[in-house]
């Protein structure tokens, strides 16, 4: 609804290590691009999850067109690609848009229940 107060933050090639790998919380990274229609479909779902799971999960976006180094580093080949990092390590990777319920089911497999 309000893009100014979105719970989802953005990162860059330069800041990725600090924003994601060094985070003390699990981080779900949304690798996306402006031209990607499914990326726009999943964005409101990620906003909801970021708000509802704010105590246990950070959601960060990385535009692959603007920051290709990190996308290449994690071998992102399709969009959207969602990668969950815990303690700086990849623990889950999902390709394609998913419903909120489907994302919650996948996240529940690896995140501690609050």
């Amino acid at each position: 609804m309000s893009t100014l107060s979105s719970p989802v933050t953005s990162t860059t090639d330069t800041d990725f290590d600090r924003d994601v790998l060094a985070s003390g919380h699990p981080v779900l990274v949304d690798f996306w691009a402006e031209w990607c229609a499914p990326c726009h479909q999943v964005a409101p779902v990620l906003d909801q999850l970021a708000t509802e799971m704010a105590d246990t999960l950070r959601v960060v976006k990385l535009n692959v067109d603007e920051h290709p180094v990190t996308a290449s580093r994690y071998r992102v080949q399709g969009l959207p690609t969602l990668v969950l990092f815990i303690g700086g390590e990849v623990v889950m990777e999902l390709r394609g848009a998913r419903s909120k319920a489907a994302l919650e089911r996948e996240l529940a497999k690896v995140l501690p229940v609050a």
Side-chain angles (χ1 to χ4, degrees), residues 8-113:
V8 176
T9 58
S10 293
T11 192
T12 65
D13 284 336
T14 304
D15 296 334
F16 188 85
D17 287 2
R18 182 196 69 209
D19 293 344
V20 176
L21 302 182
S23 176
H25 297 286
V27 181
L28 182 64
V29 178
D30 174 21
F31 290 91
W32 75 287
E34 191 63 46
W35 50 263
C36 169
C39 297
H40 291 284
Q41 291 173 329
V42 78
V45 170
L46 295 174
D47 281 344
Q48 290 175 354
L49 286 176
T51 299
E52 293 170 8
M53 300 179 74
D55 293 338
T56 57
L57 178 72
R58 290 186 59 228
V59 180
V60 175
K61 297 173 73 90
L62 183 119
N63 184 316
V64 299
D65 289 334
E66 295 174 1
H67 307 285
V69 173
T70 302
S72 176
R73 178 175 166 189
Y74 290 99
R75 295 178 179 86
V76 173
Q77 297 178 350
L79 299 178
T81 293
L82 304 174
V83 180
L84 180 64
F85 292 83
I86 298 178
E89 300 293 324
V90 174
V91 296
M92 183 178 68
E93 188 171 326
L94 303 169
R95 287 186 176 80
R98 287 181 166 63
S99 69
K100 182 178 177 219
L103 274 175
E104 288 172 329
R105 280 193 301 275
E106 292 296 326
L107 291 170
K109 294 176 185 177
V110 292
L111 289 178
V113 177

